[in-house]
Amino acid sequence: MRVSIVSLGTLLLPLVSSQASSGPDKDGKYWIYGEGLTAAFIPYGASISNLFINDRYGIRRDIVAGFDNASYYGIDKQHPHFGGVPGRYANRIKNSSFEIDGVTYHIPANENPTPDHPDGVDTLHGGPNGWDWRNFTVVSHTNNSITFSIVDPDGEMGFPGEVVSYITYTLGNMTWDLKMVAIPTTKKTPIMLSSHTYWNLDGFANNETDLVLNHTFYMPYSGQRVGVDNILIPTGDILANQPGSVNDFWSAPKQIGSSFGDPEIQGNCGFNCSGYDTCWLVNREQYGPYDWRADGGFVARLQSAWSGIQLDVYSDQEAFQMYSCNGQNGSMALKNTQGLSKGPRTIPKYGCVVLEVEDWIDAINQPEWQRASKQIYEPGGDPYVLQASYRFSINTTDTPY
Ligand SMILES: *[C@@H]1O[C@H](CO)[C@@H](O)[C@H](O)[C@H]1NC(C)=O
Ligand SMILES: *[C@@H]1O[C@H](CO)[C@@H](O)[C@H](O)[C@H]1NC(C)=O
Ligand SMILES: *[C@@H]1O[C@H](CO)[C@@H](O)[C@H](O)[C@H]1NC(C)=O
Ligand SMILES: *[C@@H]1O[C@H](CO)[C@@H](O)[C@H](O)[C@H]1NC(C)=O
Ligand SMILES: *[C@@H]1O[C@H](CO)[C@@H](O)[C@H](O)[C@H]1NC(C)=O
Ligand SMILES: *[C@@H]1O[C@H](CO)[C@@H](O)[C@H](O)[C@H]1NC(C)=O
Ligand SMILES: *[C@@H]1O[C@H](CO)[C@@H](O)[C@H](O)[C@H]1NC(C)=O
Ligand SMILES: *[C@@H]1O[C@H](CO)[C@@H](O)[C@H](O)[C@H]1NC(C)=O
Ligand SMILES: *[C@@H]1O[C@H](CO)[C@@H](O)[C@H](O)[C@H]1NC(C)=O
Ligand SMILES: *[C@@H]1O[C@H](CO)[C@@H](O)[C@H](O)[C@H]1NC(C)=O
């Protein structure tokens, strides 16, 4: 562990837990407990690996995707970013480059390969050795919380300067709280983090459909979204989500699959892709100053009438990505804690949904958006901070289908 962390301690979190840690189980997982929730985390990507909650019938469900053991995360070749923290810069970076103070930085590409660019033409989730490809250090582990840290060296994945980060997860009474802090110690650098959890609120055990297209989704502040090209790189345009259109989840809640009959869904998530991999803006300032934990409530709500499980996402972030698992194709196995005993024990296309609290994607390449203060951090300045609270409940208003 680097000494540089110590001087940051007062700002952040206890460096050493005063409570005894039980350490990882035989599968390398660290368990924490709340009222009504139990979760397991692993050092690889500071990822959530299991999240147990009882459904409307009192049946225990594991509602996040992952692997059965911590050692497999680094072995699996598909690397779906299961439940981790993408960093130091989440989502896509156009042309794998950005400019700070007149200096252009080129970073490794890892998406959309072409004959001319066999590694790709853009950088996804911090590059081929982004944060969620590395084991974090467990600095604290108590009955209801775990804190991970990472020291990302100067020049790693082409990014300028060292960044030190702490990720804390806490379970409460049907709540999972996230706090992420990151500090550049030597140079000005872009930072944008997120949590990349794959949800299926039926625990992949719905005996009528193995898809999430019947999950209801609602983002009351998201009348606008980031316009993208056919490889999902922002064009700079901010688009309106007209009521009733494919990307309208703000005017009223609707099922994720309810616009799949609309021709506009085709190409909505890139070339030849039907579904969602979309960054919506979260516009709350229009109502004046707010406390993200209380005023105005959640920025996103996901519900399944089948299980009755409802997830309300509260966050201080000003954008929100939803990905409807368009890229899954049955090649990822379920954990032994989920699914039905019969049928394929794998994740199908549209079998899960990723919800990502984040800032406006690739704003480092869109200076006209004027978001430098939310994306570029420097030693001595404010730290990068992301906070979110996932609040669970059982809602049986809707009849199960
Ligand atoms: C851990 O937390 C859970 C849920 O709050 C509680 O039921 C349990 O007694 C706690 N265990 C210990 C050892 O404190
Ligand atoms: C770890 O999990 C993977 C995938 O879930 C499984 O294939 C493998 O057999 C497990 N290994 C051990 C040692 O349990
Ligand atoms: C990361 O941790 C896992 C177990 O949690 C271990 O199997 C793996 O070898 C570690 N990887 C590295 C690069 O240290
Ligand atoms: C993309 O990056 C390459 C270097 O990696 C550079 O030569 C090229 O000019 C950049 N293209 C655009 C459109 O910025
Ligand atoms: C958890 O919250 C519920 C409803 O908000 C409340 O009735 C219950 O007493 C709480 N449980 C604990 C242990 O605080
Ligand atoms: C499907 O699951 C529901 C909820 O767990 C259960 O009530 C029902 O009996 C199941 N149906 C079949 C045919 O197994
Ligand atoms: C478009 O997607 C469909 C279904 O995913 C696939 O069968 C087809 O080959 C794709 N077409 C092209 C041109 O990539
Ligand atoms: C499924 O997707 C994975 C990851 O993108 C890919 O490696 C694999 O070839 C695909 N399998 C099929 C049958 O398309
Ligand atoms: C339950 O879901 C319904 C339908 O989406 C919604 O109107 C209601 O507010 C929810 N109830 C709670 C307590 O969140
Ligand atoms: C999913 O919802 C659609 C439309 O609301 C409905 O027609 C369909 O029966 C539902 N699917 C299942 C498996 O219940």
Side-chain angles (χ1 to χ4, degrees):
M1 186 47 53
R2 294 285 304 268
V3 174
S4 54
I5 290 181
V6 173
S7 61
L8 305 168
T10 50
L11 176 65
L12 302 166
L13 302 145
L15 287 180
V16 179
S17 169
S18 53
Q19 292 174 254
S21 157
S22 55
D25 70 6
K26 66 172 178 37
D27 293 321
K29 298 188 180 187
Y30 292 78
W31 291 89
I32 65 174
Y33 306 91
E35 307 296 331
L37 294 177
T38 299
F41 294 87
I42 56 163
Y44 192 77
S47 304
I48 188 165
S49 189
N50 303 80
L51 182 61
F52 288 103
I53 183 172
N54 284 353
D55 72 10
R56 65 191 299 171
Y57 306 107
I59 300 172
R60 200 168 184 242
R61 302 292 181 194
D62 182 358
I63 58 175
V64 299
F67 294 118
D68 289 327
N69 51 71
S71 51
Y72 192 67
Y73 282 74
I75 294 170
D76 175 73
K77 290 283 174 285
Q78 297 183 46
H79 192 86
H81 308 276
F82 264 170
V85 177
R88 102 178 34 174
Y89 195 89
N91 208 272
R92 297 178 174 82
I93 296 178
K94 182 183 185 176
N95 198 34
S96 301
S97 61
F98 56 88
E99 193 184 301
I100 297 177
D101 294 341
V103 176
T104 301
Y105 295 87
H106 297 288
I107 63 174
N110 63 342
E111 195 185 38
N112 293 307
T114 65
D116 285 349
H117 300 93
D119 293 331
V121 297
D122 63 280
T123 297
L124 177 64
H125 295 327
N129 192 35
W131 288 11
D132 65 5
W133 293 79
R134 300 182 223 167
N135 281 338
F136 285 54
T137 301
V138 177
V139 292
S140 171
H141 176 212
T142 73
N143 187 42
N144 73 341
S145 80
I146 187 162
T147 297
F148 295 96
S149 73
I150 190 170
V151 178
D152 190 18
D154 181 11
E156 178 66 24
M157 292 288 97
F159 288 103
E162 179 191 75
V163 171
V164 178
S165 179
Y166 285 85
I167 310 295
T168 293
Y169 302 121
T170 309
L171 294 188
N173 185 356
M174 292 284 270
T175 60
W176 170 25
D177 290 345
L178 300 82
K179 182 161 189 167
M180 304 186 183
V181 178
I183 294 170
T185 55
T186 58
K187 293 176 189 163
K188 238 187 213 189
T189 186
I191 301 175
M192 181 168 77
L193 306 180
S194 187
S195 173
H196 202 275
T197 303
Y198 285 73
W199 302 95
N200 178 308
L201 297 182
D202 302 331
F204 298 93
N206 185 324
N207 54 15
E208 294 168 39
T209 173
D210 56 357
L211 308 181
V212 297
L213 299 181
N214 283 84
H215 283 38
T216 297
F217 188 55
Y218 183 33
M219 289 183 294
Y221 301 108
S222 295
Q224 294 170 299
R225 70 185 189 281
V226 173
V228 292
D229 66 13
N230 68 4
I231 58 166
L232 301 179
I233 306 296
T235 58
D237 295 330
I238 301 301
L239 305 178
N241 304 319
Q242 301 295 347
S245 66
V246 160
N247 293 294
D248 167 28
F249 287 95
W250 67 272
S251 68
K254 76 178 183 195
Q255 293 191 359
I256 290 175
S258 71
S259 294
F260 273 49
D262 184 328
E264 197 202 333
I265 196 77
Q266 289 157 25
N268 194 54
C269 43
F271 175 73
N272 195 33
C273 177
S274 293
Y276 298 98
D277 192 355
T278 306
C279 180
W280 283 267
L281 306 189
V282 177
N283 295 315
R284 277 175 299 180
E285 290 84 353
Q286 59 184 314
Y287 301 109
Y290 60 88
D291 169 1
W292 66 268
R293 288 184 172 83
D295 304 341
F298 55 85
V299 298
R301 166 175 283 177
L302 184 69
Q303 291 174 294
S304 168
W306 185 81
S307 65
I309 296 170
Q310 172 171 305
L311 163 57
D312 291 340
V313 179
Y314 289 68
S315 173
D316 64 353
Q317 298 294 293
E318 292 171 45
F320 196 96
Q321 188 98 8
M322 187 268 276
Y323 166 62
S324 54
C325 287
N326 325 307
Q328 291 294 327
N329 60 14
S331 59
M332 301 300 298
L334 295 176
K335 285 174 289 183
N336 58 31
T337 48
Q338 46 197 191
L340 295 162
S341 50
K342 286 187 285 202
R345 293 191 42 81
T346 56
I347 303 176
K349 186 176 187 178
Y350 310 128
C352 45
V353 54
V354 179
L355 306 180
E356 298 159 74
V357 292
E358 64 189 6
D359 200 58
W360 297 26
I361 58 172
D362 202 27
I364 51 175
N365 280 311
Q366 305 295 346
E368 69 281 8
W369 289 351
Q370 299 179 300
R371 293 194 73 78
S373 69
K374 305 276 186 181
Q375 303 233 333
I376 307 289
Y377 292 83
E378 61 185 313
D382 289 340
Y384 170 91
V385 178
L386 176 153
Q387 298 189 85
S389 181
Y390 293 161
R391 301 182 187 172
F392 297 88
S393 54
I394 299 300
N395 186 338
T396 53
T397 303
D398 298 332
T399 45
Y401 36 79

